[in-house]
Each structure stands twice: as structure tokens, then as C-alpha cells.
Amino acid sequence: MSKDDRIYRVMFVNQDQVYEVFVKHVFQSDIWGFLQLEDFIFGSQSDLVVDPSEEKLKQQFAGVERSYIPMQAVIRIDEVKQEGVAKITDAKGNVAAFPIMPPPTKK
């Protein structure tokens, strides 16, 4: 698999829901404490079965070139062989954000 063919599944928490999206590029952002996601992948328009949560994600990320996600909101990042169905599910269980201390200031 070439570097350009890589696909990543990124799971993160947003307003008490878990978002699972598929992207082609994941970077550490220049904005401290954020992860940068680019080139979102959604199911093809020719699919007969429509998933409402995937449609909601398509609408939320329509026209978005890149998205910045707080690192403490990220649950998991997987490199996968092919994209799946992007979805939104309710956050259940005891998953909590790991507290992060800001870097020391220079004097």
C-alpha cells in the first residue's frame, strides 16, 4: 500500500457522541493540542442503503478541507485497508479525556 493509498479511521468524542470518520491524511497540527484531519471519505452516492448518521456526517463536513480535533477528544486512530461507514454513536461507558498540562512558558 503506497503512502497515498492509506486510509485512517479516526474516532473522537464530540458533545457526548462518538464520531467515527475515515480520512486520507492525519497530521499533528501547527495549532498546539490539535490533530488535523484532511480528505474525508464517505460512502458512494450510488449506494441504495442510506445510513442516517453517515448522512449527518456528510452534511457536517460538506465543504470542509481540513478539520482540527482536540487531541484529548481522540479515542483511537487506525490505519485500515478500506473505508467503512462513517457514523455517530452515543458515548457510553466511562471513557474520559486525559488531562493534558500546557507546555511550560519560556522566560
Side-chain angles (χ1 to χ4, degrees), residues 12 14 17-22 40-43 49-62 84-90:
F12 61 94
N14 182 30
Q17 293 183 316
V18 176
Y19 282 50
E20 183 175 324
V21 296
F22 292 85
F40 289 86
I41 303 169
F42 295 104
V49 179
V50 176
D51 183 356
S53 65
E54 185 177 34
E55 288 300 313
K56 183 178 178 182
L57 282 168
K58 278 184 189 180
Q59 290 174 0
Q60 277 190 329
F61 291 101
V85 176
K87 58 187 167 188
I88 301 172
T89 55
D90 290 331

Side-chain angles (χ1 to χ4, degrees), residues 1-8 24-25 27 79:
M1 180 178 282
S2 75
K3 191 173 184 177
D4 292 337
D5 294 339
R6 293 182 183 172
I7 298 172
Y8 299 94
K24 292 185 180 179
H25 304 287
F27 303 103
E79 183 177 338

